[in-house]
Amino acid sequence: MAEIIVVTSGKGGVGKTTSSASMATALALRGYKTVCIDFDVGLRNLDLIMGCERRVVYDFVNVINEEATLRQALIKDKRVENLYLLPASQTRDKDALTKEGVGKVLEELKQQFDYVICDSPAGIEKGALMALYYADTAIIVTNPEVSSVRDSDRILGILSSKSQRAETNQAAIKEHLLITRYSPERVINGDMLNITDIKDILAIPVLGVIPESKAVLRASNAGVPVAFDKDSDAGQAYNDAVARLLGEDVPHRFISTEKKSLLKRIFGSKEEAPV
């Protein structure tokens, strides 16, 4: 039976869709049969990030409305055997998602996959609430800035009160924090919150710290999830995050910077951001 993971955030533009695609890719590369669902009805982007926008014929809403079967709508990735996408509709609005319809599709997917990754829209509108309602695990994506962290705190409140698990008194959703666009240099200059600040505010474990990286933009423009690029810092960070999700003890990387000082040039000492 699959684990349902929602990738969510309070604020838009934090790298949620990039993270959904990369986490799904990293799981598939490890041999887990994984499907990624785009819940952003009307504004779908996951198909672009995953490089299969020209192959979309049927979508999530078509399946909910029984206008197509799940098999017809699922798109199999050409690069890795175990990776699939269920795209969102561009022509419907968020009201096309119903709790019963979403639940029925997820139940069918759980019989076929090891992991179901739900790429949520930002905020707390209907698409976001539908994405998190059936989740077993939540990955909260935030940038190291005050407004993003504050909005993530709001999402944590929604997860604890409006999910199926909360409504039926089941065990709470497992919560993980994914910090994206992190720059140790900007932290030291006082332009970003450090990891300890963010952990203190949100009080959930850090699954991964994704560095600010040009590799992410290059990968997005090419339609290739950056997790495929294991030579890049961002690709390595996403693969590390999935390893931790699976229970492995993996140290955090890309969270330190070298001091720009004479001591650094002589001894190679480093200044580390706390984790």
Side-chain angles (χ1 to χ4, degrees):
M1 188 73 78
E3 180 174 356
I4 298 176
I5 301 173
V6 63
V7 180
T8 185
S9 73
K11 189 173 183 290
V14 298
K16 192 166 51 281
T17 297
T18 293
S19 297
S20 296
S22 290
M23 300 290 281
T25 297
L27 283 165
L29 287 169
R30 283 172 165 260
Y32 295 98
K33 193 174 181 183
T34 305
V35 60
C36 205
I37 308 176
D38 192 344
F39 274 80
D40 201 356
V41 175
L43 293 171
R44 76 177 186 222
N45 284 308
L46 187 58
D47 56 316
L48 289 170
I49 300 295
M50 296 183 72
C52 58
E53 67 278 6
R54 295 180 182 178
R55 297 170 59 201
V56 176
V57 177
Y58 295 108
D59 56 54
F60 191 12
V61 175
N62 290 140
V63 179
I64 288 175
N65 292 340
E66 299 183 350
E67 298 160 350
T69 66
L70 189 56
R71 184 173 181 177
Q72 287 177 296
L74 283 173
I75 300 172
K76 187 179 185 299
D77 191 273
K78 293 181 177 180
R79 295 156 298 200
V80 58
E81 178 68 24
N82 298 305
L83 183 60
Y84 292 77
L85 166 69
L86 182 57
S89 171
Q90 283 188 309
T91 59
R92 314 289 180 98
D93 59 29
K94 302 294 191 295
D95 289 335
L97 297 178
T98 64
K99 192 175 291 185
E100 295 75 16
V102 170
K104 183 178 178 181
V105 173
L106 288 176
E107 194 59 38
E108 189 173 348
L109 288 170
K110 285 171 68 175
Q111 309 304 317
Q112 302 178 36
F113 290 88
D114 299 312
Y115 288 95
V116 178
I117 308 294
C118 302
D119 179 29
S120 170
I124 55 173
E125 45 83 18
K126 186 173 182 180
L129 295 177
M130 289 295 99
L132 67 82
Y133 183 76
Y134 292 101
D136 303 307
T137 298
I139 297 173
I140 294 88
V141 183
T142 188
N143 291 160
E145 57 183 60
V146 171
S147 62
S148 182
V149 174
R150 180 192 62 189
D151 289 347
S152 294
D153 204 21
R154 171 68 171 147
I155 290 296
L156 289 171
I158 298 294
L159 286 166
S160 65
S161 61
K162 292 195 174 182
S163 67
Q164 184 185 50
R165 285 176 171 269
E167 289 181 359
T168 56
N169 290 316
Q170 297 180 56
I173 292 174
K174 292 174 283 187
E175 298 166 341
H176 301 283
L177 180 62
L178 187 69
I179 302 170
T180 55
R181 297 175 184 161
Y182 190 79
S183 169
E185 293 84 0
R186 294 176 67 187
V187 170
I188 289 169
N189 292 335
D191 299 327
M192 282 184 174
L193 297 174
N194 66 37
I195 298 169
T196 299
D197 292 334
I198 299 168
K199 284 176 64 180
D200 287 347
I201 295 167
L202 298 179
I204 58 174
V206 176
L207 182 68
V209 180
I210 313 301
E212 202 168 42
S213 174
K214 293 179 181 178
V216 174
L217 181 59
R218 287 196 302 268
S220 296
N221 288 337
V224 180
V226 73
F228 277 117
D229 185 3
K230 294 185 179 181
D231 292 328
S232 71
D233 49 3
Q236 292 172 46
Y238 275 116
N239 280 282
D240 286 353
V242 163
R244 294 186 199 99
L245 183 70
L246 296 172
E248 297 177 26
D249 185 12
V250 178
H252 289 272
R253 297 188 276 178
F254 317 113
I255 60 173
S256 64
T257 185
E258 295 185 354
K259 292 181 180 179
K260 297 178 180 179
S261 65
L262 179 61
L263 287 175
K264 182 273 296 183
R265 291 195 295 272
I266 296 173
F267 298 108
S269 61
K270 293 183 178 181
E271 184 167 341
E272 294 189 353
V275 67

